[in-house]
Amino acid sequence: MWIALAATAVIAPMLFLGQASGHDFQFHLASWLDVAGQWREGILFPRWAEWANWGFGEPRFIFYPPASWMLGAGLGSILPWKMVPGAFIWLVLMLAGYSMWRFASVYLPRGAASDAAVFYAVNPYNLVNVYYRSDFAELLALAIFPFVVAGTIEVLREGWRSLPKLAVPVALIWLSNAPAAVLATYSVALIILVGFVRGRKLAPVVAAGSAMACGFGLAAFYILPAAWEQRWVQIGEILTDLLRPGQNFLYTHADNPEFLFFNWKVSTIAAAIILAAGISAVVVARRRRELDEVWWYLLALGLAATLMMFPVSGFAWRLLPKLQFVQFPWRWLGPLDFVLAFFLAAAFQNARRRWMCWTACFVLLAGLGTAIGTDAWWDSEDIPVLMAGIHSGHGYEGTDEYQPLGSSRYDLPGASADGDSDTAPPAPRVATQAGEDRNAMAANGTKFQIDRWKANSKVFSTMGAEPVVAALELLNYPAWEATIDGSPATISAVPETGQMLVEVPAGAHRVVVRFRRTWDRLLGGIISGLFLLAMAVAGFATKPAATASN
């Protein structure tokens, strides 16, 4: 009940002020709207974002983990869209509280575990994500994080029979948000290292490492294509100026006032969290024997998270694989708030006036939330504008890092000079040159007729006395293939923009352009299926033995 009340308090301002339109709000809402539209087309698991880049599309759903955009699209399919962000946040905060309660209840009394759950649900970094950043995917991943830590400790303690308790959360967090999953992976590795140093036994380490591998295997249908197909997009754009780790340590310095102001706000919140976590850890240190290994695990995690937010850790950000793609060192506030929630609950557990301690904490949290909410940008027009853009055929803005190689979304037909299509006419779906008619275009005596135009298949007919090169409202990407009357066709691209071109001979023809299933997506699906089957078989095989032992 207290978790539900706390989550409701977080979204309550949205009932009066509209949407908290943070940094990533339009990106996530556009994805949800696009996916919901593709579901109506019968595409159950989208890969190509149909309306990105003003209708030319992008392979967004290959690279961005599916859990958040499927949950958002699902909510949008049953609720009015203006209610969806608040509903998403409420459900995820409830999950965060529940996962923290499951973890804390193993080591703390019921009341203290409930306190930790409520605090973690509405912790300071979650408030930053809700009001400032609107990073719905990271919010979801952090709700799963306690399950990851709990599963790691249980595998180290119980061995192979607890393998699914780590494998499944690892898979889920990778399917939620890649940067948070990278941090979770390194957090698991750190806990395993601490466990090995304390126990000097190799078997638990092997079991935990195998559980992580199983988690990667379960999520292979996403991880493998995302890793392999990065070579087909401009993924390096994710680390452009002001997006690199070295520029985002706490209290950084930069020439961009807006960037600097946000960094210092987050840094101040981080400093308070670090101080509170440190004091709580010292208080709880007297009971470390009672808490056994969990105190050491969380202490190591808290120290590492703190260290990684300062420039002294720069070598680690440069050397450790994939860590640079986290971009912002202050993202370690997620794991640090998890540590803080547990240590606070443990510190207040035996306090004479525990209720007063928690009242003071939540008053401070309420004050922080009010300050952040007052400073946030509130906008009720983002969702209607995105919906109107899709319904009108204008689409929405794409992302630099998901642009296919050789493409430039700012120079595409239908985009204005500043990359905004609100006032620019939409590009024709197929033509030999720019035109105004989206469904039929005549040039050099050739007529184009659109037969079907869906996210993953484009079908049109041509009739002309001369061969032409058809320019499609579509970005060229290696997964697209074209056939003319059933025979393979030659695909190329406009050098300046990456717009797809198809060579069509003279006469009457039917052209089919289809987004095919590449080998990496097929193999990833097979690997995930095999790991799921293997874990199910192992679970059934060990269940009778466990029952007999009881």
Side-chain angles (χ1 to χ4, degrees):
M1 181 185 72
W2 291 110
I3 299 173
L5 288 175
T8 302
V10 171
I11 67 169
M14 300 178 188
L15 302 176
F16 309 99
L17 301 176
Q19 304 298 329
S21 184
H23 304 161
D24 295 340
F25 185 84
Q26 292 194 17
F27 172 86
H28 288 286
L29 264 293
S31 298
W32 301 353
L33 288 163
D34 207 326
V35 171
Q38 293 192 44
W39 283 353
R40 291 191 292 271
E41 292 181 2
I43 304 170
L44 299 181
F45 191 65
R47 293 294 198 170
W48 184 263
E50 180 178 12
W51 294 108
N53 293 315
W54 320 125
F56 281 80
E58 68 183 16
R60 173 179 302 195
F61 303 129
I62 290 176
F63 302 101
Y64 207 85
S68 66
W69 46 259
M70 293 192 75
L71 176 58
L75 291 172
S77 299
I78 59 177
L79 296 173
W81 278 105
K82 66 179 181 179
M83 295 177 59
V84 172
F88 186 106
I89 293 167
W90 191 87
L91 288 173
V92 171
L93 294 183
M94 288 288 291
L95 175 61
Y98 174 72
S99 64
M100 185 68 204
W101 179 82
R102 286 293 301 269
F103 174 82
S105 62
V106 176
Y107 308 98
L108 302 175
R110 184 179 183 88
S114 298
D115 294 339
V118 175
F119 183 88
Y120 184 68
V122 294
N123 70 70
Y125 188 57
N126 276 356
L127 297 180
V128 169
N129 261 329
V130 169
Y131 294 127
Y132 276 151
R133 303 194 60 236
S134 296
D135 193 337
F136 296 95
E138 186 176 4
L139 196 69
L140 176 59
L142 291 176
I144 300 169
F145 184 75
F147 288 129
V148 174
V149 177
T152 306
I153 296 174
E154 187 152 352
V155 171
L156 290 174
R157 183 189 301 151
E158 302 293 336
W160 294 95
R161 64 181 180 179
S162 297
L163 184 146
K165 294 182 179 180
L166 175 56
V168 172
V170 165
L172 290 176
I173 206 166
W174 272 100
L175 295 176
S176 299
N177 180 257
V182 172
L183 298 187
T185 301
Y186 280 111
S187 299
V188 170
L190 177 63
I191 294 173
I192 293 174
L193 176 62
V194 173
F196 175 73
V197 171
R198 294 190 73 246
R200 303 297 177 87
K201 294 180 181 179
L202 189 59
V205 174
V206 174
S210 300
M212 287 183 65
C214 287
F216 296 146
L218 290 173
F221 71 93
Y222 155 71
I223 295 175
L224 181 59
W228 176 258
E229 296 189 25
Q230 283 183 10
R231 68 198 65 205
W232 296 343
V233 296
Q234 301 174 41
I235 198 65
E237 294 295 320
I238 203 172
L239 293 173
T240 55
D241 191 41
L242 300 182
L243 296 177
R244 293 187 288 269
Q247 299 170 301
N248 286 276
F249 289 115
L250 299 188
Y251 294 110
T252 192
H253 297 278
D255 295 330
N256 187 312
E258 184 177 353
F259 167 82
L260 191 63
F261 186 46
F262 175 74
N263 177 273
W264 278 56
K265 287 187 289 188
V266 173
S267 298
T268 302
I269 294 171
I273 294 171
I274 292 169
L275 179 62
I279 294 173
S280 301
V282 171
V283 173
V284 177
R286 294 176 296 180
R287 298 172 46 211
R288 61 182 179 273
R289 292 185 179 179
E290 176 186 338
L291 295 173
D292 199 18
E293 74 272 19
V294 71
W295 186 84
W296 293 101
Y297 294 145
L298 296 193
L299 178 67
L301 180 57
L303 289 173
T306 300
L307 186 67
M308 294 299 290
M309 289 187 280
F310 289 96
V312 69
S313 64
F315 73 95
W317 288 96
R318 292 189 298 269
L319 296 178
L320 293 178
K322 300 299 180 182
L323 191 58
Q324 61 178 335
F325 289 103
V326 173
Q327 296 178 299
F328 313 121
W330 40 259
R331 272 180 160 151
W332 278 101
L333 284 173
L336 185 58
D337 269 325
F338 166 76
V339 173
L340 173 60
F342 183 88
F343 279 163
L344 271 182
F348 293 165
Q349 175 186 338
N350 296 324
R352 291 182 180 180
R353 297 179 179 178
R354 182 166 61 94
W355 67 272
M356 291 186 62
C357 297
W358 280 112
T359 299
C361 280
F362 286 112
V363 167
L364 291 173
L365 267 180
L368 176 63
T370 301
I372 294 176
T374 303
D375 189 47
W377 179 264
W378 297 88
D379 194 338
S380 298
E381 296 302 315
D382 280 340
I383 296 176
V385 168
L386 285 169
M387 294 178 68
I390 290 176
H391 291 157
S392 68
H394 278 94
Y396 54 84
E397 187 177 9
T399 49
D400 291 338
E401 62 267 27
Y402 300 149
Q403 291 182 94
L405 292 177
S407 65
S408 175
R409 61 191 179 93
Y410 301 103
D411 299 320
L412 288 167
S416 60
D418 60 357
D420 186 359
S421 74
D422 290 344
T423 57
R429 285 181 169 169
V430 57
T432 55
Q433 58 185 6
E436 297 181 356
D437 189 346
R438 291 176 60 80
N439 294 314
M441 185 70 189
N444 298 326
T446 301
K447 294 182 179 180
F448 299 103
Q449 177 63 46
I450 304 299
D451 298 325
R452 183 174 69 248
W453 201 268
K454 293 187 176 182
N456 59 1
S457 64
K458 323 289 183 180
V459 181
F460 61 94
S461 302
T462 68
M463 180 174 293
E466 299 179 8
V468 296
V469 177
L472 279 62
E473 187 191 28
L474 190 64
L475 286 181
N476 192 26
Y477 186 73
W480 287 106
E481 63 179 10
T483 60
I484 299 177
D485 300 328
S487 300
T490 301
I491 292 178
S492 58
V494 177
E496 297 80 9
T497 64
Q499 182 180 8
M500 182 182 291
L501 302 174
V502 180
E503 298 179 13
V504 183
H509 303 285
R510 187 171 187 265
V511 182
V512 177
V513 181
R514 184 176 65 90
F515 197 73
R516 63 185 174 87
R517 182 185 294 273
T518 53
W519 70 265
D520 50 283
R521 278 182 270 145
L522 178 61
L523 180 59
I526 292 173
I527 292 173
S528 293
L530 291 176
F531 270 92
L532 182 62
L533 179 62
M535 290 186 63
V537 170
F540 281 115
T542 57
K543 188 174 181 180
T547 304
S549 64
N550 291 334

